[in-house]
Amino acid sequence: MELSALAFYVVAGVTLVAALGVVVARSVVYAALLLILSLVMTGLIYLLLLADFLALIQILVYGGTVSILLLFALMLTPPETRPELNHRGWALGAVASGALFVLLLVASLADKWPAAGGTRHISLVDLGRALFSTWAVPFEVASVVLLVALLGALTIARSTTPGSKIAPRASA
Amino acid sequence: MTNNAASELTLQAVPSWMPAFLVAPMIGGLSLADLIALVVLLLFVLNFVMIEIWMERKVAGHIQLRRGPLHVGPHGSLQSPADVLKLLTKEDLTPVAADPIVFPMAPYLVFVPVFLTFLVIPWGPLVLFGNFVIRPFDLGLVYMVAIPAMQGIGLVMAGWSSGNKYSLLGSARVVAQLISYELPMVIALLGVAMMAESLNLTTIVESQMKQGWNVFLQPIGFLVFFLATMSEMSRAPFDIAVAESEIVGGPFVEYSGMRWGMFYLAEFAAVCLNSALSTALFLGGWELFPGSRALGLGWISDQFGLLFFMGKMIVLVLIIQWARFALPRLRIDQLMDFAWKFLLPAGFVNFILTAILQVFGFVPFAIGIGLTLAFAAVLLATYQARRSPSTVALIRTAAAAAVPTSQGVGLPV
């Protein structure tokens, strides 16, 4: 087997095991930590596909920031009120994820995908040029969507106390 | 640290920074020269951290009118090795309430990201040895933001797994701090990227040699970056995450022995790292002084650049240490206000001014800098005028009230 293919199988295997662990783990914090592992490993898969910018952004956004917020939210809930994870809904979950898997499989078989290690490395300059010329409109639309989400988050965060225009300042 | 020839040996198809340790050996991106370079780098970091700790204790001592470590070795210079030996022989305690899997894992997750970030630093050339940089990676600037971000997970894991409420409070503070200060840091880096028109740290240093150091062209950016990194690594006066007097030591409370040493190592390695990054991004990297190339003295930097880089780095380390012992710790709300109401807007101003410089030239940029400074002065003046009475004024009032007046009224003593 080619070395890059071997690397891919190792990384993909760890990703899948970690992802399975997220579903199986009974402790919420373990599930979150395994989710982080799975997300970082996804970044390594991007790396093996020579998409180094995407890999770094994956590690920065999902490995660093999003997962920290996730852990933060978990820790702010006291352990007594945290529900014990159970696996009662596993049949429904299996059907739903199976359906999603088939959908993705069909979609991915319809297109030809690059193999690990074999593709051309796309430089950041090419990426930037493509983003700001060919894909300028989708890029701007994405930024508008993000802005709307940001404002929505602010609105939700501020409306905790009814009647007041601004949520009270956290006491120092 | 390897020379240029070695870094050219790596496969063309593999991204040039490949030693992400696990993947690289598998796809042939890691040569023997790289391995040697990594070992040398690790030894450098470990030794520099020991020197740094000794420096810090000396700085602390002299600022506080003490003499600092004195007895082990000349001027106490062997104190750090002695401390390391002590740490190595100490027992690693695991509290009963600690999580058995996450607790021992956390210290490594704090140190490894810091060490990995050292890979992109352009240390500069040294005669007979060539140019010291492990990976002149095109995405260096993104890498140096992305990899240290992983450190937060380690700290949160440490705080949670200790089973101690002080640790948990500490990691909550770590998260709040990391998330707030990452933004201004990245915004400040945008200015650097725009100046050099590159994300490669080596190119950024070389462009500073052509157009002047970023500390002069990006003064606001430098300030924002330096303060934000100082906060990112939880150094005083931004050390609310480990504040001993409030939460005993934050996420590290339950750690002992060498595991605790790993956190300490990571903290001091981060000081070294961030000083090196500031040097490369804003202080002209390995150039002797700004404009030396125009005076025909460029060869000095080309031959002994590494020494100048180290010198600038050590000066920055000393400034960080000075700040630790000269300034009181910020409260958590002050810390948040500082990030969101000062550093972030300042970062945006820097970004806009850099865009003006790149598009309209130097004169509008200089006018913009002047206007910004004037605006900042006005803001500061109004803030000072509106400010609640200072502590000194409060004490004076209290003292005046406490003095018995003719009516015999005063505070009970």
Side-chain angles (χ1 to χ4, degrees):
Chain A
M1 204 191 315
E2 215 182 319
L3 269 177
S4 61
L6 181 68
F8 170 76
Y9 285 121
V10 171
V11 173
V14 176
T15 314
L16 286 180
V17 171
L20 193 67
V22 178
V23 186
V24 180
R26 288 204 177 254
S27 152
V28 198
V29 176
Y30 276 13
L33 290 175
L34 285 168
L35 179 66
I36 296 168
L37 179 65
S38 152
L39 289 171
V40 171
M41 284 292 157
T42 313
L44 288 189
I45 292 180
Y46 294 150
L47 199 60
L48 288 171
L49 292 167
L50 301 187
D52 45 3
F53 183 67
L54 186 61
L56 282 180
I57 294 298
Q58 167 86 10
I59 289 173
L60 173 64
V61 173
Y62 290 100
T65 318
V66 170
S67 51
I68 283 194
L69 276 178
L70 190 75
L71 282 174
F72 192 43
L74 275 183
M75 285 173 184
L76 287 182
T77 54
E80 310 87 61
T81 60
R82 205 178 288 157
E84 178 78 0
L85 292 182
N86 60 63
H87 302 130
R88 277 196 290 271
W90 69 269
L92 197 63
V95 170
S97 53
L100 191 63
F101 176 71
V102 170
L103 192 70
L104 285 174
L105 197 67
V106 170
S108 57
L109 284 180
D111 203 354
K112 194 169 156 51
W113 293 86
T119 40
R120 193 170 63 90
H121 176 228
I122 294 170
S123 77
L124 190 66
V125 178
D126 296 337
L127 191 70
R129 208 157 275 156
L131 266 187
F132 284 100
S133 57
T134 320
W135 306 104
V137 176
F139 182 70
E140 291 301 326
V141 170
S143 69
V144 170
V145 170
L146 279 177
L147 187 67
V148 171
L150 198 70
L151 291 176
L154 265 179
T155 316
I156 293 170
R158 278 190 163 186
S159 60
T160 44
T161 42
S164 76
K165 277 182 186 161
I166 297 173
R169 212 183 142 90
S171 55
Chain B
M1 280 168 237
T2 173
N3 52 35
N4 279 336
S7 45
E8 280 160 15
L9 283 177
T10 46
L11 295 177
Q12 202 60 49
V14 175
S16 54
W17 62 292
M18 248 335 198
F21 276 13
L22 295 171
V23 195
M26 293 188 276
I27 55 173
L30 196 67
S31 63
L32 186 65
D34 286 332
L35 277 178
I36 296 169
L38 284 177
V39 172
V40 171
L41 183 68
L42 185 63
L43 286 177
F44 165 75
V45 172
L46 294 179
N47 282 301
F48 191 81
V49 162
M50 284 208 279
I51 297 169
E52 214 181 312
I53 292 173
W54 174 74
M55 263 161 62
E56 178 142 338
R57 295 176 72 173
K58 276 295 190 192
V59 168
H62 286 280
I63 284 179
Q64 297 165 349
L65 299 181
R66 299 181 285 117
R67 298 179 74 184
L70 208 60
H71 294 293
V72 192
H75 289 275
S77 53
L78 295 178
Q79 185 66 51
S80 298
D83 284 345
V84 170
L85 281 181
K86 185 198 78 176
L87 276 180
L88 284 173
T89 54
K90 269 178 99 169
E91 189 185 356
D92 260 342
L93 290 173
T94 307
V96 183
D99 187 284
I101 303 169
V102 182
F103 184 78
M105 222 156 70
Y108 303 99
L109 275 172
V110 174
F111 176 66
V112 169
V114 177
F115 178 68
L116 282 179
T117 317
F118 274 98
L119 297 184
V120 288
I121 290 179
W123 298 98
L126 186 65
V127 66
L128 297 180
F129 286 97
N131 201 359
F132 283 75
V133 53
I134 292 194
R135 283 296 191 240
F137 173 40
D138 274 343
L139 293 171
L141 218 55
V142 185
Y143 180 89
M144 60 155 271
V145 174
I147 302 300
M150 300 285 298
Q151 209 193 354
I153 295 174
L155 289 170
V156 169
M157 280 166 67
W160 173 78
S161 66
S162 297
N164 178 320
K165 58 188 166 196
Y166 291 116
S167 312
L168 200 58
L169 273 175
S171 35
R173 288 176 172 205
V174 167
V175 173
Q177 202 175 0
L178 278 181
I179 297 221
S180 313
Y181 279 85
E182 207 162 86
L183 268 170
M185 191 182 88
V186 174
I187 304 282
L189 288 178
L190 281 180
V192 175
M194 284 161 80
M195 290 303 295
E197 295 178 356
S198 167
L199 298 182
N200 186 330
L201 293 191
T202 311
T203 318
I204 288 174
V205 172
E206 279 161 1
S207 84
Q208 289 181 67
M209 292 183 182
K210 287 192 204 91
Q211 55 191 14
W213 292 7
N214 273 337
V215 67
F216 303 118
L217 293 168
Q218 301 270 308
I220 308 172
F222 176 63
L223 193 72
V224 171
F225 178 80
F226 193 65
L227 291 175
T229 48
M230 232 162 113
S231 175
E232 288 254 302
M233 54 194 170
S234 281
R235 290 285 300 190
F238 303 106
D239 62 338
I240 55 152
V242 291
E244 297 92 343
S245 50
E246 298 164 24
I247 49 172
V248 211
F252 326 138
V253 177
E254 295 292 352
Y255 283 90
S256 54
M258 209 48 220
R259 281 188 199 142
W260 178 83
M262 288 292 279
F263 286 114
Y264 214 62
L265 175 66
E267 183 189 328
F268 280 86
V271 172
C272 170
L273 172 74
N274 285 319
S275 306
L277 286 175
S278 294
T279 305
L281 296 174
F282 292 97
L283 296 182
W286 60 84
E287 197 179 22
L288 176 56
F289 57 88
S292 65
R293 209 143 292 247
L295 294 173
L297 295 172
W299 61 272
I300 304 182
S301 311
D302 291 340
Q303 299 298 323
F304 304 102
L306 182 72
L307 303 177
F308 307 137
F309 191 99
M310 294 279 169
K312 291 176 199 174
M313 187 178 92
I314 288 171
V315 169
L316 287 181
V317 168
L318 282 171
I319 291 176
I320 292 172
Q321 294 176 344
W322 172 32
R324 172 171 177 181
F325 295 103
L327 298 170
R329 180 184 307 129
L330 273 75
R331 275 197 326 259
I332 187 155
D333 60 318
Q334 293 170 330
L335 191 91
M336 290 296 133
D337 281 2
F338 186 64
W340 293 100
K341 296 181 183 167
F342 176 74
L343 284 186
L344 194 61
F348 279 128
V349 167
N350 177 59
F351 176 66
I352 293 166
L353 284 176
T354 314
I356 290 175
L357 175 68
Q358 293 295 75
V359 178
F360 299 111
F362 191 75
V363 177
F365 169 72
I367 296 172
I369 287 266
L371 282 178
T372 313
L373 289 179
F375 181 65
V378 171
L379 263 190
L380 193 68
T382 42
Y383 174 73
Q384 289 284 5
R386 279 179 42 205
R387 214 166 81 149
S388 51
S390 68
T391 322
V392 177
L394 281 177
I395 292 170
R396 281 210 187 108
T397 325
V403 173
T405 55
S406 54
Q407 285 90 25
V409 184
L411 289 180
V413 180

